[in-house]
Amino acid sequence: MMHGYIPPERFLPYLSWTEIDALEDKANTVIVLPVGAIEQHGPHLPCAVDSVISSGVMGAALAKLPEEVRAFGLAPITYGKSDEHLHFPGTMTLTGPTLLAVVTEIGESVYRAGFRKLLLANGHGGQPQVLEMAARELRIRHGDFVIVPYHVSRVANSSGKYVSDQEKRLAMHAGHSETALMMALAPHTVRMDRAAANFPPVFPSKVLSGDGRPACAWTARDFGPSGVIGDPTQATPEQGADILDTLSSSWAQAITDLYRMAWVTREAPSWGSSHQQGHIESVSTP
């Protein structure tokens, strides 16, 4: 069914328009939009990794929410800005302006339905700037709209206790944590017999890169033919289950915080006026 990893009772598209229209406390209800990508993830993982992980983590988080916390998931955006991987078959990429337009227009639809809190749950490291631009554009248009663009892996989780120091410094794609998560979320898609480590060279300038990650623009093929940037070989399903559990618990708390929070609002754009500062009123704390 269409809900995928999202619990069906928290999947907004399963409601009729009249049910959505009648929902209580829509100003505080959190709408969760997973944003992923379809792009190569080496020989051992499917191209759907970023879409699976963003949807899977958010689905597990929504399932952990207490009933009184009002939040719904949307169908994910499964295509992203993946041009750094376009040299590999299976990568399906949108341009930045196209993704920006898609996210912004979905955000407008969320606002038009009466909701005022939107979480853009990003699963792809190549597009946070686009989501941040969409969030800022929506905020400029609507002074009572709270939009949070955030990568699903940036909240507290247990992955650090499993990965090597080299992985922490240099891994960026199809490495240990992503492989472990896919073992937990879609184990039938993982081929560990094809897994192999591959790291980029350490960036020469410590001023520009303290940990050695590339400070310049790069594409995945710059670092070899496999498309892997990290070491997936030590990942296990048990690690993946633990990482998923800790990630989703952190996100359940974050969604609860968003539901309960109040934030600065303004009623309309006031260009060049001190009234743009706003005040905390329109979005209330439940």
Side-chain angles (χ1 to χ4, degrees), residues 23-47:
L23 286 173
E24 297 179 358
D25 197 21
K26 285 198 286 187
N28 288 301
T29 298
V30 181
I31 302 301
V32 178
L33 176 61
V35 186
I38 304 295
E39 60 184 35
Q40 72 83 21
H41 273 75
H44 70 292
L45 290 178
C47 293

Side-chain angles (χ1 to χ4, degrees), residues 118-139:
L118 174 61
L119 171 62
L120 304 175
N122 181 31
H124 170 42
Q127 62 197 19
Q129 298 87 352
V130 178
L131 301 191
E132 290 164 4
M133 291 168 66
R136 182 64 56 83
E137 176 65 25
L138 289 165
R139 177 64 180 183

Side-chain angles (χ1 to χ4, degrees), residues 262-281:
W263 188 244
V264 176
T265 67
R266 55 175 173 73
E267 293 184 0
S270 182
W271 312 117
S273 167
S274 61
H275 295 298
Q276 280 183 271
Q277 297 298 318
H279 55 284
I280 299 177
E281 284 186 8

Side-chain angles (χ1 to χ4, degrees), residues 39-144:
E39 60 184 35
Q40 72 83 21
H41 273 75
H44 70 292
L45 290 178
C47 293
V49 167
D50 294 341
S51 293
V52 169
I53 289 176
S54 59
S55 297
V57 170
M58 288 300 110
L62 288 165
K64 290 182 176 182
L65 292 177
E67 186 176 352
E68 65 271 15
V69 175
R70 302 186 65 81
F72 291 94
L74 290 175
I77 299 175
T78 55
Y79 298 103
K81 181 182 177 296
S82 300
D83 46 0
E84 71 271 35
H85 301 286
L86 57 75
H87 305 101
F88 295 82
T91 297
M92 307 292 168
T93 184
L94 305 177
T95 64
T98 299
L99 180 60
L100 178 63
V102 169
V103 175
T104 303
E105 291 176 22
I106 292 174
E108 287 284 5
S109 299
V110 169
Y111 187 87
R112 191 163 51 246
F115 301 105
R116 297 295 181 262
K117 293 180 178 179
L118 174 61
L119 171 62
L120 304 175
N122 181 31
H124 170 42
Q127 62 197 19
Q129 298 87 352
V130 178
L131 301 191
E132 290 164 4
M133 291 168 66
R136 182 64 56 83
E137 176 65 25
L138 289 165
R139 177 64 180 183
I140 290 170
R141 296 180 188 179
H142 307 292
D144 58 345

Side-chain angles (χ1 to χ4, degrees), residues 55-267:
S55 297
V57 170
M58 288 300 110
L62 288 165
K64 290 182 176 182
L65 292 177
E67 186 176 352
E68 65 271 15
V69 175
R70 302 186 65 81
F72 291 94
L74 290 175
I77 299 175
T78 55
Y79 298 103
K81 181 182 177 296
S82 300
D83 46 0
E84 71 271 35
H85 301 286
L86 57 75
H87 305 101
F88 295 82
T91 297
M92 307 292 168
T93 184
L94 305 177
T95 64
T98 299
L99 180 60
L100 178 63
V102 169
V103 175
T104 303
E105 291 176 22
I106 292 174
E108 287 284 5
S109 299
V110 169
Y111 187 87
R112 191 163 51 246
F115 301 105
R116 297 295 181 262
K117 293 180 178 179
L118 174 61
L119 171 62
L120 304 175
N122 181 31
H124 170 42
Q127 62 197 19
Q129 298 87 352
V130 178
L131 301 191
E132 290 164 4
M133 291 168 66
R136 182 64 56 83
E137 176 65 25
L138 289 165
R139 177 64 180 183
I140 290 170
R141 296 180 188 179
H142 307 292
D144 58 345
F145 204 4
V146 179
I147 314 101
V148 178
Y150 217 80
H151 198 284
V152 294
S153 67
R154 286 183 59 198
V155 298
N157 67 87
S158 63
S159 62
K161 69 183 183 182
Y162 299 119
V163 303
S164 68
D165 289 340
Q166 185 182 26
E167 184 86 0
K168 291 175 183 177
R169 290 195 312 273
L170 297 175
M172 296 183 287
H173 192 72
H176 192 139
S177 296
E178 283 191 322
T179 301
L181 277 169
M182 289 301 291
M183 287 177 160
L185 289 166
H188 60 288
T189 68
V190 181
R191 293 291 304 271
M192 288 303 289
D193 58 313
R194 301 173 181 173
N198 179 64
F199 287 98
V202 174
F203 196 74
S205 173
K206 291 186 177 181
V207 175
L208 297 175
S209 177
D211 58 6
R213 289 174 181 265
C216 56
W218 55 269
T219 68
R221 72 172 179 177
D222 293 339
F223 308 130
S226 74
V228 173
I229 312 173
D231 183 2
T233 60
Q234 302 304 307
T236 69
E238 294 76 19
Q239 294 169 1
D242 186 43
I243 295 169
L244 177 61
D245 181 57
T246 54
L247 270 175
S248 58
S249 291
S250 292
W251 274 113
Q253 183 59 59
I255 293 169
T256 299
D257 293 344
L258 288 173
Y259 171 67
R260 293 175 176 167
M261 68 177 273
W263 188 244
V264 176
T265 67
R266 55 175 173 73
E267 293 184 0

